[in-house]
Amino acid sequence: MNQDQKEELNKINSCKSMEDLNDIRVELLGKKSKISAEFAKMKTIENHLKKEFAANLNKQKAELSKAIENKKVELEAIALENELKSSKIDVTRFNTDDNIGAHHPVSYTMNKIIRYFEKLNFKIESGPLVENDFNNFEALNLPKFHPARDMQDTFYTKDGNLLRTHTSPVQIRTMMNQKPPIKIIAPGNVFRRDFDLTHTPMFTQIEGLVIDDEDKISFANLKFILEEFLQHMFGDVEVRFRPSFFPFTEPSAEVDISCIFCKDEKSGKSTGCRVCSHTGWLEVLGCGMVDVNVYKAVGYEGVSGYAFGLGIERFAMLLHKIGDLRSLFDSDIRLLGQFK
Ligand code: DAH
């Protein structure tokens, strides 16, 4: 090592800060450095000497780079050490930074619904997301090749099971495992082959099922409980039952509430708007008296009962005035941040 090289190494080693080190790196290895000038001489060197000349320069350059790198590690360690010495952490300090997240509107709505029914002594049941055909369709009075199956097309596994298209199979599971009286709700994810403004391939439902001895449960009980429930969720709304069809209930009804978006505060009437397609009504759930074929499938006799099912996202959209269902699954902080 010649005198020049020693001096250069000394310079590196005596650096006190990252800025100094960077200046020296530019000075010793940059475009205007001595070593760059030496490299430029390559063109003028005779061919048979080139190899040795270049090897020598590369070695010098590598030595300098290494020394700079070592110094950098040393300076970083010192900086960290100093920082740790000077900063005190108060572990007893209460975190006033309220950036701690929020309930997702779907969870919020689901919890609100669950809490309501819990107070009425409903038990919470659950079932698997991958269901068999019997529980999801057959036992619910949807035989194979029945056209009503088309409304709930889904994702099948190779062994003939499927991602459940609704929470109704939990009705079957519960009835097969328990004796009446039964009074349950079953929240959970369901799956369908849908994707547009109001449908996503995965969404969330809550199922309700109440069964007791014959003649103990009537449509009047169903009507009362749903009216009370919907007014708890949406405030002072009118509730209307429309005759409808579901294979697993007879009679069946779809339930509407008076539109909360165009309600005239004075008269209390909903006058019609874009959200309710100018009808003044919003459809919110399906329900009915459990069909005898369902009782047959699970081996029940001498009972009566009602069931209902609703989409939680639909409720969340109405409660929070969210226009596009898909935005509930976008994880966009601008939407979700509003629910703190
Ligand atoms: N399972 C139905 C669906 O996903 C919803 C439903 C309607 C559930 C009526 C019920 C019911 O329990 O009685 O479209």
Side-chain angles (χ1 to χ4, degrees):
M1 195 180 290
N2 62 30
Q3 194 56 33
D4 275 1
Q5 284 169 293
K6 266 191 201 149
E7 268 175 33
E8 286 172 350
L9 287 182
N10 274 342
K11 259 191 189 173
I12 293 171
N13 282 328
S14 56
C15 268
K16 290 272 179 293
S17 70
M18 285 299 222
E19 288 82 33
D20 285 354
L21 186 64
N22 198 38
D23 289 347
I24 285 174
R25 188 183 56 77
V26 173
E27 182 189 324
L28 299 182
L29 294 174
K31 274 190 199 141
K32 291 180 186 151
S33 64
K34 252 194 255 168
I35 203 155
S36 292
E38 288 296 306
F39 271 113
K41 285 184 193 159
M42 280 284 279
K43 284 180 251 157
T44 64
I45 304 279
E46 284 179 48
N47 268 349
H48 69 285
L49 296 175
K50 263 193 178 142
K51 194 172 168 193
E52 196 191 332
F53 181 82
N56 189 22
L57 283 182
N58 278 331
K59 185 163 165 253
Q60 280 181 42
K61 190 175 171 185
E63 276 168 6
L64 288 175
S65 301
K66 181 107 193 18
I68 290 172
E69 192 50 38
N70 288 344
K71 189 71 191 175
K72 188 173 159 210
V73 173
E74 188 186 317
L75 287 174
E76 278 171 350
I78 294 172
L80 179 65
E81 180 81 19
N82 286 340
E83 192 186 320
L84 287 176
K85 268 190 200 146
S86 66
S87 69
K88 290 197 186 80
I89 297 172
D90 179 359
V91 291
T92 64
R93 179 173 169 269
F94 188 75
N95 186 9
T96 51
D97 178 2
D98 65 353
N99 198 11
I100 49 172
H103 280 292
H104 191 277
V106 172
S107 314
Y108 169 85
T109 308
M110 174 144 94
N111 289 337
K112 190 168 167 157
I113 298 174
I114 290 176
R115 250 180 282 130
Y116 180 82
F117 283 105
E118 261 179 346
K119 283 196 189 130
L120 297 177
N121 275 337
F122 279 71
K123 275 206 312 177
I124 298 171
E125 291 289 345
S126 61
L129 303 185
V130 180
E131 257 301 359
N132 58 46
D133 190 274
F134 179 80
N135 288 340
N136 195 85
F137 289 131
E138 198 93 34
L140 288 163
N141 198 25
L142 272 151
K144 288 205 171 58
F145 309 112
H146 193 285
R149 281 196 180 198
D150 286 354
M151 292 193 304
Q152 298 191 5
D153 199 10
T154 186
F155 306 93
Y156 289 83
T157 59
K158 289 212 174 86
D159 55 8
N161 290 331
L162 69 167
L163 296 185
R164 66 179 183 187
T165 56
H166 48 180
T167 43
S168 304
V170 184
Q171 290 189 30
I172 303 302
R173 286 179 175 273
T174 309
M175 287 191 273
M176 305 267 261
N177 290 319
Q178 297 174 27
K179 288 200 181 80
I182 283 173
K183 197 172 171 187
I184 59 143
I185 52 166
N189 296 134
V190 301
F191 305 83
R192 289 191 200 172
R193 278 189 52 180
D194 278 332
F195 194 51
D196 60 37
L197 218 72
T198 49
H199 298 90
T200 46
M202 192 283 295
F203 61 106
T204 325
Q205 286 188 333
I206 286 197
E207 191 80 13
L209 177 70
V210 174
I211 309 263
D212 209 330
D213 294 340
E214 203 158 22
D215 300 331
K216 265 202 183 163
I217 309 283
S218 73
F219 201 95
N221 300 131
L222 168 64
K223 198 158 176 259
F224 177 77
I225 205 160
L226 288 181
E227 271 171 7
E228 292 286 309
F229 163 62
L230 290 171
Q231 279 162 358
H232 169 77
M233 294 301 286
F234 295 106
D236 189 14
V237 289
E238 276 183 65
V239 178
R240 143 177 123 168
F241 286 69
R242 244 183 321 108
S244 183
F245 170 77
F246 297 104
F248 29 89
T249 43
E250 178 61 34
S252 306
E254 264 164 327
V255 182
D256 301 335
I257 56 168
S258 51
C259 182
I260 48 180
F261 296 96
C262 55
K263 183 176 163 187
D264 178 47
E265 282 310 324
K266 250 196 204 146
S267 66
K269 292 272 171 248
S270 302
T271 46
C273 65
R274 224 169 46 110
V275 186
C276 61
S277 307
H278 303 282
T279 61
W281 295 97
L282 297 165
E283 182 187 323
V284 288
L285 55 82
C287 65
M289 302 306 290
V290 177
D291 194 291
V292 283
N293 284 340
V294 175
Y295 294 137
K296 275 188 198 144
V298 298
Y300 271 19
E301 265 175 29
V303 291
S304 62
Y306 63 76
F308 56 88
L310 62 90
I312 298 180
E313 283 79 7
R314 170 109 176 116
F315 273 54
M317 285 171 77
L318 294 175
L319 285 176
H320 299 296
K321 303 196 166 41
I322 296 167
D324 183 343
L325 176 69
R326 292 169 297 193
S327 64
L328 286 173
F329 302 106
D330 279 348
S331 300
D332 188 335
I333 216 95
R334 287 170 301 181
L335 177 94
L336 300 179
Q338 296 175 41
F339 294 96
K340 275 190 186 161

